[in-house]
Amino acid sequence: MKIIPRPFYIDKIENWFNRNTIIILTGQRRVGKSYLLRLVREKYIHNRGYNIIFIDKEKKEYDEIKKYEDLNQYIDNKKVSGKRNIILIDEIQDIEGFEKSLRSWYEEEDVEIVVTGSNSKILSSELSTLIGGRYKEIYIQSLNYKEFLIFHNVEDSDESLKKFMRSGGLPGLMKIGLNDNDVIEYQNDVLNTVLMKDVILRNDIRNVAFLQNLINYLADNTGKLISASNIAKYMKSNSNPVSVGVILNYLRYLSESFIIRKVPRYDIHGKRLFENNEKYYFQDIGIRNTLIQNNRAFDIEKQIENIVYNELVFQGYNITVGQLSGKEVDFIAQKKGEEPHYIQVTYLLASEETREREFGNLKLIHNNYPKYVISLDPYNDSSDYDGIKHLSLRHFLIHGL
């Protein structure tokens, strides 16, 4: 199989080599974490100065590595003195007590450690206690639009963007193809695997029917403010009463598996975070689309908003939802130590009313920080409206802000 590089992530990984840091790749299953480990292996395996120790816990040949003692023994047998040993472990959370082994091998001067995990509990308080700040988490997402073009060998165009918006960015689709029925079947398989392994079994969930209803609800309400109390009222009205506590737990479990990402609200004037009513976005827009299936054509604005959110995260921004005098700014995007960017997302600026609503909310922010409206209007380099930039979605996905 042809190896297609993902240099954005490989550069991030290599940036932390030789810095006495354990590198942990986190993210939803099937977004390419294992593939990245293989890319690292292929890059260094023929370099005589390096020795590669590779463990994939999803392969049966590694079934005997169940506890950290087994892991230590395996590494002991494979480690080579006089070389730089790169230890690569896929789905390390399946090894009981793995954090004890990482702490031990971290102390070795001739070792680099890169591991993957599909549940944020991998960064639990116990792991933090044992290895402190000596790890770097790198969040891996499914393909963004530019990577999608490379993986599927297509040119940037309105038609390619439509395919991306419909199918999403799971790397495995490169082998499956982009036929709608095949895509949906594959996405359902991935979703069911994530729910079973990283949500249901890991958290001993009994009310599986509610879990499915909850994730369907989140898909249908992507980009809307969500509160556990409102979900409880909704479920009660459908003769399926569930407590607020259970709902909060299930939302946390879904977030820990990286299926969804929670985005808090931020008071622009008061400069503080709100403690309730967040938004949730899906890590992969294709999986989100599959959950709502026949309703896709009627919620294109939700798709665009989710795609913009994912791209902002890919570009390294921390994201909040802006609240301003009863009005909402879709995203406040800010990198550490840099100025904030205010962003509105809409389908098309087809009417003066829409234009006034989207640009008007941003005009209420009385500072000189950059402000943008992103829409699906035809591709343009960018235009300016009272100091607010208008970007087409394609332009944003290719060039950024």
Side-chain angles (χ1 to χ4, degrees), residues 266-280:
Y266 180 79
D267 183 349
I268 295 174
H269 279 163
K271 297 184 178 180
R272 62 185 178 90
L273 286 172
F274 290 98
E275 295 182 356
N276 53 27
N277 286 18
E278 301 92 358
K279 288 187 175 186
Y280 290 88

Side-chain angles (χ1 to χ4, degrees), residues 368-387:
N368 294 321
Y369 296 134
K371 303 173 181 67
Y372 304 86
V373 172
I374 299 174
S375 74
L376 201 59
D377 287 279
Y379 191 98
N380 60 68
D381 290 338
S382 72
S383 57
D384 192 281
Y385 180 81
D386 284 353

Side-chain angles (χ1 to χ4, degrees), residues 15 30 33 184 247 254 276 305 316 319 334 344 357:
N15 182 55
R30 302 294 182 265
K33 302 187 303 297
I184 291 171
I247 293 168
L254 289 169
N276 53 27
E305 191 170 322
I319 312 297
Q334 187 171 16
Q344 289 287 88
R357 180 182 70 247

Side-chain angles (χ1 to χ4, degrees), residues 288-325:
R288 184 259 169 196
N289 291 343
T290 293
L291 284 164
I292 61 168
Q293 292 191 20
N294 295 331
N295 296 323
R296 287 189 221 171
F298 302 100
D299 72 343
I300 192 166
E301 193 160 322
K302 297 176 187 176
Q303 295 177 44
I304 298 170
E305 191 170 322
N306 203 139
I307 288 169
V308 170
Y309 167 76
N310 286 340
E311 180 62 26
L312 289 169
V313 172
F314 181 86
Q315 293 178 20
Y317 290 99
N318 294 314
I319 312 297
T320 53
V321 175
Q323 205 70 29
L324 180 68
S325 303

